[in-house]
Amino acid sequence: MTPKPGIREAKKYETRRALGFAAFELASERGLHGFLVEDVTDRVGVSRRTFFNYFNRKEEAVVEVGGFVFDDGLKELRDRPADEPLFDS
């Protein structure tokens, strides 16, 4: 089993996740070309520099959401009882 991440790593993950979901939501609302990185950072409450610590472009942030959704599903599956049939999980 993988050890739990430390507080710093957990905060970095949550920041990256928040930026990704904010970018995804803005793209859903306005289209990919209808928002700026500043719109993402304003929604999350971080600086532009913080955004670029995690992503090179807004498109990269939008695509990252797929990984977060996969991680969430995997975590939910792992939290199910080990003896439960996979189909039921």
Side-chain angles (χ1 to χ4, degrees):
M1 188 159 151
T2 307
K4 270 190 112 166
I7 294 172
R8 183 173 187 204
E9 291 80 19
K11 286 183 78 171
K12 288 171 80 172
Y13 178 83
E14 287 305 317
T15 299
R16 185 177 183 90
R17 182 182 171 90
L19 289 166
F21 274 98
F24 184 83
E25 289 167 1
L26 286 163
S28 295
E29 293 167 8
R30 305 179 190 174
L32 192 55
H33 301 292
F35 69 98
L36 303 171
V37 168
E38 288 80 6
D39 298 320
V40 177
T41 59
D42 288 347
R43 190 169 278 200
V44 177
V46 298
S47 70
R48 186 175 151 88
R49 181 176 179 179
T50 297
F51 178 90
F52 288 110
N53 285 336
Y54 294 94
F55 301 105
N56 293 316
R57 304 186 326 249
K58 66 182 181 181
E59 294 84 357
E60 186 180 334
V62 171
V63 171
E64 184 79 8
V65 169
F68 295 128
V69 171
F70 179 80
D71 289 346
D72 292 347
L74 192 57
K75 182 185 178 316
E76 286 184 31
L77 190 58
R78 284 185 178 147
D79 290 344
R80 303 296 302 172
D83 60 343
E84 182 177 61
L86 184 59
F87 185 76
D88 294 339
S89 295

